Amino acid sequence: MQPGDGESPARGSARDRSAAPVIDVRGASVRYGPVRALREATAAVGSGRVCGLVGMNGSGKSTLMKVMLGLVRPDPGQVLINGAPPSSARRRGQVAYVPQREDVDWDFPVSVRDVVDTGRYPYLGTARRLRRRDKQIVAEALERVELTKLAGRQIGQLSGGQRKRAFVARAIAQQAPVLLLDEPFAGVDEPSQRTITRLLRELAAQGATIVLATHDLAGLPDVADEAILMAGTVLMHAAPEEVIRPENLARAFGLEGPAA
């Protein structure tokens, strides 16, 4: 029985960790001119897992996510998504991305449904014409984020939390096996945060691989199976409850006291 057919794998189970990683980052280093943004970062995330990225601003979270997306090429280092380069996986629609701040003209006359429709574009021809099945998938995505009644509303008329849910719906409509989210809870209301958390858990139970950058340390154990603690590199990769222990956060946030 496959995940999503009535049986969800136990969170943190040995079966999950024994499978080959879907996202495999090996010794990735990145420089932006003279600035070293990432140093020899290594991490692997398997199918059916939600992995949180935590660390202070400038710790390399966004750079690591760009490496996973194939938007930045590490030098040295290697990144594979299901055994293929991330740029190739992205072109095939195998990776969906929800950015922290959507580059959108909020005054442009585009509806919520129009935004979610774009999640189906990787599967359409040059005409960009949705078929009946595509429209059904879009409708289901809107229902899952509880925006069906607002589907015809202009995107700029939504609240911050509703806008974020619209772009999560676009990612759901893409049906990619890998989902990357940069600060999905930033600036959203509590109902939207609960909805997004529930959706991520459901998608993971269906076999998706999810990585999200977040500053919400208190809520991390509720949404994530595992967490990566960043400070210019991967300091540790463990269960959320372990990562957010005070002595571990002190290492990442520079709060350690002077050596004895």
Side-chain angles (χ1 to χ4, degrees):
M1 182 177 293
Q2 296 298 318
D5 292 336
E7 179 186 48
S8 298
R11 294 179 64 177
S13 69
R15 183 181 67 176
D16 295 333
R17 289 186 176 274
S18 65
V22 174
I23 301 175
D24 194 3
V25 181
R26 306 175 186 175
S29 296
V30 174
R31 281 186 176 273
Y32 299 127
V35 178
R36 184 166 62 179
L38 198 63
R39 182 183 73 258
E40 298 177 358
T42 294
V45 186
S47 176
R49 308 288 292 177
V50 180
C51 179
L53 292 182
V54 297
M56 63 190 301
N57 291 336
S59 64
K61 299 190 303 293
S62 293
T63 298
L64 181 59
M65 194 161 286
K66 290 176 181 177
V67 165
M68 292 177 176
L69 280 164
L71 300 178
V72 173
R73 181 176 296 180
D75 182 20
Q78 183 183 41
V79 184
L80 298 173
I81 305 293
N82 277 324
S87 56
S88 173
R90 195 177 71 251
R91 286 194 300 269
R92 298 196 309 271
Q94 298 299 294
V95 181
Y97 177 52
V98 179
Q100 180 176 358
R101 296 180 180 86
E102 295 83 7
D103 186 15
V104 173
D105 179 356
W106 299 111
D107 296 323
F108 192 75
V110 59
S111 70
V112 175
R113 182 181 288 106
D114 292 333
V115 169
V116 182
D117 283 349
T118 62
R120 300 304 301 161
Y121 282 8
Y123 310 104
L124 305 180
T126 56
R128 293 286 193 257
R129 182 169 296 176
L130 272 67
R131 297 153 297 192
R132 179 179 298 179
R133 176 59 178 158
D134 298 308
K135 293 178 181 179
Q136 180 182 350
I137 291 170
V138 168
E140 291 171 354
L142 285 165
E143 183 177 2
R144 293 184 76 173
V145 300
E146 302 173 2
L147 288 179
T148 300
K149 293 181 179 180
L150 300 178
R153 184 169 296 186
Q154 193 269 339
I155 188 68
Q157 295 177 0
L158 300 187
S159 68
Q162 290 169 337
R163 291 177 184 180
K164 183 65 69 174
R165 282 153 51 194
F167 281 88
V168 171
R170 181 181 69 173
I172 292 173
Q174 187 176 328
Q175 295 186 319
V178 176
L179 178 58
L180 306 179
L181 306 97
D182 195 355
E183 298 292 348
F185 304 128
V188 306
D189 52 55
E190 188 172 336
S192 291
Q193 182 165 343
R194 288 197 302 267
T195 297
I196 293 170
T197 296
R198 172 181 55 79
L199 282 171
L200 296 182
R201 294 302 332 159
E202 290 176 358
L203 292 170
Q206 294 164 2
T209 300
I210 300 168
V211 176
L212 64 110
T214 180
H215 283 94
D216 182 17
L217 299 180
L220 189 63
D222 293 330
V223 67
D225 301 297
E226 56 196 70
I228 293 173
L229 184 61
M230 301 286 300
T233 188
V234 174
L235 286 184
M236 66 181 303
H237 186 174
E241 295 83 359
E242 178 70 17
V243 167
I244 63 176
R245 290 177 62 178
E247 61 268 28
N248 293 325
L249 293 178
R251 294 169 56 201
F253 288 83
L255 301 176
E256 292 180 303

